[in-house]
Amino acid sequence: MKQSKAFIPTLKEVPADAVIPSHILMIRAGMVKMLSAGIYSFLPLGYKVIKQITEIIREEIDAIGGQEFHLPALNPREIWEETGRVEAFGDTMFHIKNRDYVLAPTHEEIMTFHAKGILKSYKELPQIWYQIQTKFRNEARPRSGVIRGRQFLMKDAYSFDKSFEDLDVSYEKHNKAYRKIFDRCGIKYFVVGASSGAMGGSKSEEFMVRSDAGEDTVAHCEKCGYAANIEVAQSVIESVPRHEESKEIYEISTPNVKSIDELCDFLKIDERETAKSRVYICNDEPVLALISGNEEINETKLEAVLGAPVRPGRPEELKEISGADAGSIGPIGFKHRIIADLRLKDGNNLYSGANKNDFHIGGIDLKRDVPNIEYFDLRSVESGETCIRCGEKLEVFKAIELGHIFKLGTRYSEAMGANFLDVNGKDHPLVMGSYGIGVERVLACYIEQHYDDKGIIWEGELKPFDLHIVSLNIKNEDVRRESNKLYDELTAKGYSVLFDDRANVQAGFKFNDADLIGVPLQIVVGDRGLKENSVEVKIRKSGERTKVNLDEIYSKIEDLVKEAG
Ligand code: ATP
Ligand code: MG
């Protein structure tokens, strides 16, 4: 592709609203342009890489028997009502004004609709159906460029099986295919288990990339590979030490002391000597959750323990529930269910609220004084804690979710009545799995892992071109002739070549653009070199430059392209 004719609008400056490297570089290299918050146009260079990613995905999903669909994004709302997901998606779903349509945020319902009444017998199973299509989600906070968009490209696959055992097989196929896809894309990733208790034993795993731009927090063990979302991650629990002797409980007047900080200041004690109280409402019933004063309740874990959604008790309800306002609530005399984090197990000589405003209680022995207390893991893992699998140290960091594989079971087929006849001629809902990949996130995550201060560094299957011919002074007849000859012959040899043949662009700009766009191999053609019959070859990732005799370039090109990546 000749750059004089190509639309690759590179930018020298860092765009104002871009913060993370991939976002900045995709804009600066002329790959994408924002149309509106969370809505991006892919320009030819960006779209070229997107097409390469989707081709890799296609090859790997076809290899496990996937069949590609193309489904409408404009959907009748009533189909989504069958599964209750108009409500579940809430404001994230785009609705078409005054019409009963929605814009699809994913396609479980539509694939199930097509399976219903068509996949009638176990003999027709399994099936793997997929598509690579635009999704719409009215994300509250679109950010990080294409990583969280309101319109984005997703590969979504769905498996239909006759049994949960067969679903395991379809799921494993996707698990393997995903690893191949991300390996081929040159991305360093790890897999996070998110076995969701509340979803009825169904299994789900997320493919993650470590990045400060991520919105997920994960705990990861470098040694054994244990990785889990912070919402479910566990570490070895170290309970607060139990003192040899338990004091008697006693009331302390604590005027105007509300927070744990204030209590610790007032009594000159450590946060860890306190049991912090949080009142939640679950199924209309109050529950007191206790946690060590220096920690916070992880509400996702709490919901998993209680098996239902929770909400914090409202200030105006607390007095009726406990007898006191927030800041003075505690386990002694609390009349409803009391649960506590495992770290507090059998703790003694603790301080907590007295369920009476402006009073606290000291000398609490949870074992002695709160006999009906139940203990669960209610807190979030922190960096440096011990891995539950291997005993090494865990690291907690931010990550971006690239893909998600999920055993759905019969949630959608049951809701929509998509049944098949099993071996015994009995009606049975199709057993489903769903498997997503954010295509633009693959591109953004690749760049997050492959760049330097000059620009993007392409390597492997995602590179938009094999090599970049940079002609320094195209007005010079020798340069023009030799550059064009190189371009024609290398293209004819089957290499994809970007050719900077722009006439009125200075050498410095051309070098900067070449490094910014990041094609792995640059061949610099200038009149000075040509006088000695040579060109300069530069490997983008190492910055290494060598002079190569013009006549040798054709015999060396295969090795050079390989070496450059
Ligand atoms: P997230 O937690 O990041 O919102 P999700 O759990 O909503 O993701 P899924 O519904 O499982 O995502 O969608 C499958 C894949 O689509 C995700 O793994 C992710 O790569 C991609 N994806 C989801 N939302 C967006 C978005 N707003 N912009 C770009 N890609 C997205
Ligand atoms: Mg989401």
Side-chain angles (χ1 to χ4, degrees):
M1 182 188 283
K2 292 188 175 173
Q3 246 169 298
S4 61
K5 301 197 176 59
F7 182 64
I8 308 178
T10 54
L11 283 180
K12 204 166 167 241
E13 307 76 36
V14 174
D17 54 348
V19 183
I20 66 165
S22 58
H23 189 196
I24 293 171
L25 291 171
M26 281 162 84
I27 295 175
R28 285 194 54 217
M31 298 176 82
V32 296
K33 194 144 172 53
M34 188 172 92
L35 179 64
S36 146
I39 307 179
Y40 283 83
S41 298
F42 273 83
L43 309 185
L45 181 64
Y47 194 51
K48 194 167 194 291
V49 183
I50 289 287
K51 282 187 284 188
Q52 287 165 192
I53 298 171
T54 54
E55 234 5 78
I56 292 172
I57 295 174
R58 261 189 200 101
E59 283 174 24
E60 296 300 339
I61 303 297
D62 286 348
I64 58 167
Q67 303 165 75
E68 189 170 3
F69 277 57
H70 188 80
L71 302 178
L74 187 64
N75 295 178
R77 196 183 63 214
E78 60 182 3
I79 293 189
W80 289 83
E81 267 158 5
E82 286 181 40
T83 58
R85 285 224 289 179
V86 173
E87 202 179 288
F89 269 105
D91 289 341
T92 307
M93 185 176 244
F94 281 105
H95 290 251
I96 305 289
K97 259 191 194 152
N98 303 327
R99 294 271 186 285
D100 287 333
Y101 293 103
V102 296
L103 292 176
T106 175
H107 274 90
E108 278 84 0
E109 279 76 357
I110 309 308
M111 282 295 195
T112 311
F113 172 86
H114 289 304
K116 178 180 173 173
I118 293 174
L119 298 179
K120 282 189 201 145
S121 154
Y122 73 95
K123 290 181 195 147
E124 287 157 327
L125 303 176
Q127 292 281 323
I128 295 172
W129 295 353
Y130 78 100
Q131 60 159 355
I132 300 175
Q133 244 259 65
T134 302
K135 304 283 190 256
F136 299 86
R137 292 183 187 178
N138 194 7
E139 301 280 5
R141 277 179 301 279
R143 45 178 276 183
S144 305
V146 300
I147 289 176
R148 184 165 300 283
R150 290 196 163 127
Q151 158 167 352
F152 60 96
L153 199 55
M154 195 202 287
K155 185 289 296 180
D156 44 321
Y158 305 86
S159 62
F160 299 93
D161 279 290
K162 64 179 190 301
S163 65
F164 281 85
E165 292 76 52
D166 287 9
L167 168 60
D168 291 346
V169 176
S170 296
Y171 183 90
E172 258 331 292
K173 280 185 180 170
H174 282 91
N175 191 357
K176 290 208 180 91
Y178 271 42
R179 288 164 198 266
K180 284 192 188 156
I181 290 167
F182 299 132
D183 285 344
R184 284 181 63 183
C185 290
I187 290 178
K188 278 203 270 340
Y189 62 91
F190 57 95
V191 184
V192 169
S195 135
S196 35
M199 302 288 282
S202 57
K203 188 174 174 188
S204 114
E205 277 158 304
E206 292 164 342
F207 289 72
M208 294 283 196
V209 165
R210 181 176 183 160
S211 162
D212 289 337
E215 290 175 62
D216 284 279
T217 307
V218 295
H220 182 239
C221 175
E222 185 74 35
K223 174 134 182 273
C224 74
Y226 171 77
N229 199 299
I230 200 75
E231 292 174 354
V232 294
Q234 295 177 340
S235 60
V236 173
I237 290 167
E238 288 155 25
S239 301
V240 288
R242 189 176 163 84
H243 299 242
E244 227 164 78
E245 247 174 70
S246 282
K247 294 183 190 157
E248 290 300 310
I249 55 173
Y250 59 100
E251 206 174 73
I252 318 157
S253 164
T254 49
N256 290 322
V257 168
K258 299 263 184 292
S259 66
I260 290 289
D261 277 353
E262 288 166 352
L263 183 66
C264 291
D265 272 354
F266 187 81
L267 297 175
K268 306 275 173 291
I269 55 169
D270 189 271
E271 289 176 316
R272 275 164 294 201
E273 294 176 71
T274 68
K276 181 157 69 184
S277 300
R278 291 280 181 258
V279 175
Y280 287 92
I281 310 294
C282 178
N283 290 330
D284 294 330
E285 289 292 325
V287 181
L288 175 63
L290 292 177
I291 190 146
S292 184
N294 58 329
E295 317 235 34
E296 293 302 329
I297 298 278
N298 176 327
E299 291 183 5
T300 313
K301 285 188 175 177
L302 180 67
E303 289 187 343
V305 162
L306 298 176
V310 299
R311 65 164 177 85
R314 287 190 271 272
E316 67 275 13
E317 321 174 286
L318 294 180
K319 198 150 194 184
E320 199 183 314
I321 293 168
S322 72
D325 293 316
S328 301
I329 299 173
I332 306 298
F334 189 84
K335 303 224 163 44
H336 308 270
R337 187 170 178 192
I338 302 174
I339 64 177
D341 178 58
L342 271 166
R343 280 215 168 178
L344 285 179
K345 190 155 178 16
D346 299 341
N348 62 349
N349 302 336
L350 294 168
Y351 296 85
S352 197
N355 295 318
K356 190 159 103 182
N357 279 355
D358 294 332
F359 284 91
H360 281 79
I361 289 183
I364 300 173
D365 178 341
L366 290 175
K367 204 171 170 181
R368 175 191 69 196
D369 304 325
V370 194
N372 54 341
I373 195 166
E374 303 160 72
Y375 292 98
F376 301 98
D377 175 26
L378 296 177
R379 60 182 284 284
S380 303
V381 167
E382 284 167 22
S383 271
E385 288 175 13
T386 307
C387 175
I388 44 158
R389 261 206 224 145
C390 75
E392 270 304 311
K393 294 279 167 256
L394 290 170
E395 215 186 330
V396 174
F397 49 74
K398 293 272 180 206
I400 298 172
E401 177 191 324
L402 269 188
H404 192 186
I405 55 178
F406 197 173
K407 291 184 187 174
L408 293 175
T410 56
R411 149 123 176 58
Y412 295 90
S413 47
E414 256 179 73
M416 297 181 70
N419 293 336
F420 69 99
L421 289 178
D422 67 13
V423 196
N424 305 314
K426 259 185 69 189
D427 243 7
H428 196 287
L430 289 159
V431 182
M432 291 173 59
S434 96
Y435 317 91
I437 294 178
V439 177
E440 289 112 327
R441 282 193 191 178
V442 174
L443 170 56
C445 287
Y446 176 88
I447 296 174
E448 288 289 323
Q449 295 180 347
H450 301 82
Y451 72 95
D452 62 13
D453 55 345
K454 299 188 181 67
I456 304 170
I457 300 173
W458 292 108
E459 233 186 311
E461 287 197 54
L462 296 197
K463 61 184 169 188
F465 298 96
D466 296 314
L467 54 101
H468 197 166
I469 299 173
V470 182
S471 297
L472 297 186
N473 181 6
I474 200 86
K475 286 179 185 155
N476 176 295
E477 207 187 303
D478 292 342
V479 173
R480 190 165 61 241
R481 189 189 57 249
E482 290 306 329
S483 311
N484 274 295
K485 186 172 163 232
L486 267 174
Y487 176 64
D488 290 340
E489 295 199 10
L490 294 177
T491 306
K493 269 181 172 245
Y495 294 106
S496 61
V497 185
L498 182 62
F499 175 17
D500 194 346
D501 61 337
R502 292 175 296 175
N504 296 314
V505 178
Q506 285 174 359
F509 275 101
K510 291 195 172 195
F511 289 137
N512 289 344
D513 269 3
D515 281 349
L516 173 61
I517 293 170
V519 176
L521 184 71
Q522 298 171 12
I523 302 180
V524 181
V525 186
D527 45 348
R528 238 183 290 160
L530 285 183
K531 286 205 180 94
E532 307 165 12
N533 203 35
S534 73
V535 291
E536 192 177 67
V537 167
K538 176 176 161 183
I539 299 201
R540 173 66 182 94
K541 70 178 170 204
S542 63
E544 193 186 314
R545 299 153 187 265
T546 34
K547 253 188 209 170
V548 178
N549 192 294
L550 198 51
D551 308 316
E552 286 175 12
I553 197 96
Y554 299 101
S555 60
K556 285 194 171 160
I557 191 69
E558 199 181 327
D559 289 341
L560 286 169
V561 168
K562 218 178 265 165
E563 189 192 337

